[in-house]
Amino acid sequence: MLKLVGLSSLDALSAKALPESIHIQHKTRLGPGMPEKEVLERLRYIASQNKILKSYIGMGYASAITPPVILRNIMENPAWYTQYTPYQPEIAQGRLESLINYQTMIQDFTGLDIANASLLDEGTAAGEAMLMCYSAFNRKRNIFFVDERTFPQTIAVLKTRAEGFGIEVIVGDYEKFNAAEYKDSLMGVLLQYPNSEGSLVDYASFTKSVHENGGLVTVATDLLACALVKPPGEWGADIAFGNSQRFGVPLGYGGPHAAFFAVKDEHKRRMPGRLIGVSKDANGKTAYRLALQTREQHIRREKATSNICTAQALLANMAAMYAVYHGPQGIKDIAQRVHNLTSALAAGVEQLGHKVVNKDFFDTLTIKVNVDAAIIHAASVEAGINLRRIDNSTVGVTLDETVSKDDLEALLKVFARGNFADQYKFGTTQPYTAPVPSIDALASSLSSGIPAALIRSSAFLTHKVFNSYHSETEMLRYIFALQHKDLSLADAMIPLGSCTMKLNATTEMIPVTWPEFGAIHPFVPIEQAKGYEIMHKELEYALQEATGFDSISLQPNSGAQGEYTGLRTIVSYLNSIGQSQRNICLIPVSAHGTNPASAAMCGLQVVVVKCEENGNLDLVDLRKKAEQYKDKLAAAMITYPSTYGVFEDTIVEACKIIHENGGQVYMDGANLNAQMGLCKPAEIGADVCHLNLHKTFCIPHGGGGPGMGPIGVKTHLAKFLPNHPVVPTSGPDGIGPVSAAPWGSASILPISWAYLKMMGDDGLRKATQVALLNANYMLKRLAGEYKILFTDANGFCAHEFILDTRVFGASSKVEAIDIAKRLHDYGFHSPTMSFPVPNTLMIEPTESESKAELDRFCDAMLKIREEIRAIEEGKQPKEGNVLKMAPHPIDVLTSDKWDRPYSRQDAAYPMAVLRKRKFWPTVSRVDDTYGDRNLICSCPPIEDYEN
Ligand SMILES: *Cc1c(COP(=O)(O)O)cnc(C)c1O
């Protein structure tokens, strides 16, 4: 491979490919790479430092049972977790169907018209809901009211979000809030249902008054509760959201979990996040696809409704499968049982002399205890139980589907614990314990905590898919039937530029489902999470070493969230040095759409910087604009190596220009796979950078999430890293939280931890060198037949490169999409299409692919070039040829009628190797326009499948 590239060693390659000015100054100090076995042993020890107590803390997180058939065959199954985001629907119909099940389920439970395919967490979903209200009134109304009985982390994330837009958040008692007083400025309200005390409040008349005064009503809710209580959509809510975690997803110390989000039909075009819709393929067959993408940041940029890109697809699939497996009656039974246990607990604690504050409830009780709450908490921890700590005399309990009769008894025993006065009164040497009420007696006279007016009468999960697969045999086959339709890394390389689809090693994945990581509630006392603390510290150290930064925040749940967090720390820093007038953010045209969207969310004004003909950042334009705005320049966002796949040798100079004009440098770290071990963002001149752990650091993409986007910062920004209202993560200067959980999706951090441990210093560097080699090898193999858009002056690319497929338009009418779809027939996922340049393909092989796989892909591309040539030479027509008609599913190839200008053989087996191993697309090319014109985002009627 080196010979083809024309070099003698990997070191010679990296020395040539990287400009000299950025070569690493301080070597990384990660030590030697550890063998897999030792890494798992070390992690076993770390995990053992976490203490698993039974958690009744609630606050949006409840213990759940992951049905083993879902645990093993989705969560632990690489055919599901290594999928890419379903931008190529012809090879993603399985997960698209599962996500549409998810959307249908959310619509059913919330009683609303349309739901998206997940958001990052409940806190950020609240922020998105508020911003939807804001944009619904064209940003002309700026008051948002929040009922004080909303989870504290939700309120805090919401307030962080509000700051960037100058939205005023009023937190108070909804009963005292008079919407009429804010008639012209109220955009909306947020209510929680059941609220944070556990109460079920009838908000119908309040909702009416908000609507009468022009505001929208957004509701944080609970899916399991909605099986029994009247859903928000039925009493007038415009938007409902929440956490779907309790549908079979582990607590994981805070994540990853899928937040759900549903709206009334009239708001669908403003809805954030990915939306799966129903469309048709070229033969009129029902097919799923991503809908309404024109709303998203990659099109709308700074005008986008949201910066969300990576969400929580894998976890949404798990929650959907939980509903498919249990079905409507199963879920109703689970909900009823949880509610009955709660009713029994309420009666029991009252018998013990405590007072239940909330008369109405589903699964949560707020209890005024008749002793010092500290005594109850001490007794509970001793019994292996965590309760919610509210104040000196109040505790909270939230029950869930894992609670058994014995658990209930243990809970009542905790509440039977008297105080020291009792102890002396009764003269025992042991703490006094009152007699515990009998569970059977409590159970025999249960009274419901759900007010009659709020009982749900409507049906849900009526679609056939939720009523068909209730045995494990059927469920397993359904999961596999969907899986077979989807191409994942288990099938072939996914050469996605910018997205770094690399190996997600089994050793890295194993710890994710260990209970010591999975069964920990995010708000346990930190002394119970010592293992997480050790792992976080070691990961932070390794990331600092790899990037050169001084501090890391592990809170942001995605790259885009990292961008937002990093820019917010910059804004706070500028404010702290009396530079609050700085509000301009320079962003190159080549930037990913999340960059301008994130900048806009921080209240920054985006100014676009040009790129040169050869793809490099236009330094003259950068200097001109930096100087023009030198009094107002806040930051520049730079992706490095650039999204054009080139190491620009002017990067150090670019950072200097920004600094000289008073700005800070934000580096988009999506391309760190080209840097690790060879250079460091902080040494190049960046002040802050996000790290997509689901790209360079091996967290799998999960079909569109989860991910993690921690940020690294230099010392002057460190004290502004995000804090958290429940578990402090920063000091008094820290910005508010950007995620609902203090360490984001903590339970997937062991993946990146294990990767860095196994690589060590030499491994990390070599991985990057091999990534560069693989990309340059492919570039050389394809360069004769395809036009390469950008290289550096020596003809090298970084870890990815762009094929300019626009050149075929004139001669053959072939476009990037035709090549992408034809690649499906060859068993490959297409490269990144039309980013960062429209109608081109961006290829990134990563270090994980063998020469054999790279050759297989290059051979396919060269064969496709011959197919294009046949059109250019007039041997094939410009329409209806094998490229335009691609991909070719089996039902098309086996149809009795065949009137195409190429043979079935040429369509299905253009290369001999395909006869040995072939991945089949399951639908013909999907019609995007039809899908957006006829928007359907829930499971289609069953006749559609039959037709
Ligand atoms: C992936 C990517 C992002 C966004 O990251 P998410 O984790 O999807 O939010 C930002 N910039 C670039 C260049 C990317 O490739």
Side-chain angles (χ1 to χ4, degrees), residues 198-481:
S199 267
L200 283 161
V201 178
D202 189 341
Y203 296 114
S205 64
F206 180 70
T207 296
K208 204 160 151 264
S209 84
V210 173
H211 284 158
E212 278 164 6
N213 291 289
L216 298 177
V217 174
T218 73
V219 179
T221 192
D222 178 287
L223 291 184
L224 197 60
C226 286
L228 301 185
V229 306
K230 203 171 177 179
E234 288 181 19
W235 49 259
D238 301 283
I239 303 173
F241 65 88
N243 187 358
S244 67
Q245 175 265 323
R246 73 186 308 168
F247 274 26
V249 179
L251 291 166
Y253 202 39
H257 313 138
F260 61 87
F261 197 90
V263 301
K264 280 189 185 156
D265 189 69
E266 65 217 65
H267 302 302
K268 67 189 173 209
R269 281 172 205 275
R270 269 190 294 273
M271 186 161 61
R274 298 202 177 102
L275 183 63
I276 313 301
V278 183
S279 186
K280 293 193 181 313
D281 77 358
N283 292 311
K285 187 166 131 180
T286 296
Y288 307 105
R289 58 181 274 281
L290 287 168
L292 296 187
Q293 288 193 56
T294 45
R295 300 163 306 139
E296 292 188 30
Q297 28 69 26
H298 59 266
I299 311 277
R300 303 250 310 153
R301 301 180 81 85
E302 71 271 17
K303 293 191 199 69
T305 48
S306 155
N307 69 340
I308 190 152
C309 180
T310 288
Q312 303 281 15
L314 185 72
L315 300 311
N317 284 327
M318 286 179 69
M321 288 295 184
Y322 179 95
V324 167
Y325 192 37
H326 287 299
Q329 193 56 47
I331 299 230
K332 215 176 282 176
D333 291 346
I334 292 168
Q336 190 62 54
R337 186 169 165 281
V338 169
H339 183 63
N340 292 351
L341 287 162
T342 314
S343 301
L345 179 67
V349 295
E350 294 239 324
Q351 280 182 29
L352 286 165
H354 309 288
K355 189 163 168 11
V356 175
V357 176
N358 52 320
K359 171 165 90 31
D360 303 319
F361 55 82
F362 165 62
D363 66 350
T364 297
L365 303 176
T366 297
I367 302 167
K368 272 267 175 244
V369 289
N370 64 4
V371 293
D372 190 336
I375 293 175
I376 298 290
H377 290 303
S380 81
V381 170
E382 203 180 291
I385 291 171
N386 283 317
L387 301 174
R388 181 174 173 195
R389 293 158 194 247
I390 298 175
D391 62 32
N392 287 342
S393 61
T394 322
V395 303
V397 189
T398 297
L399 300 188
D400 58 65
E401 65 164 324
T402 69
V403 177
S404 67
K405 191 173 160 190
D406 286 351
D407 291 329
L408 195 60
E409 207 153 69
L411 253 177
L412 283 170
K413 227 181 227 160
V414 167
F415 283 99
R417 186 66 62 90
N419 60 23
F420 286 107
D422 289 333
Q423 186 177 326
Y424 293 126
K425 196 159 66 193
F426 293 97
T428 80
T429 53
Q430 294 296 314
Y432 174 69
T433 303
V436 175
S438 135
I439 306 279
D440 291 335
L442 292 171
S444 67
S445 61
L446 285 180
S447 59
S448 171
I450 303 175
L454 294 180
I455 291 175
R456 178 168 192 152
S457 56
S458 56
F460 55 87
L461 303 184
T462 52
H463 194 274
K464 192 168 175 195
V465 74
F466 300 109
N467 295 279
S468 300
Y469 310 111
H470 299 170
S471 78
E472 180 165 336
T473 311
E474 288 295 337
M475 188 68 198
L476 180 71
R477 288 180 190 150
Y478 180 58
I479 291 172
F480 271 66

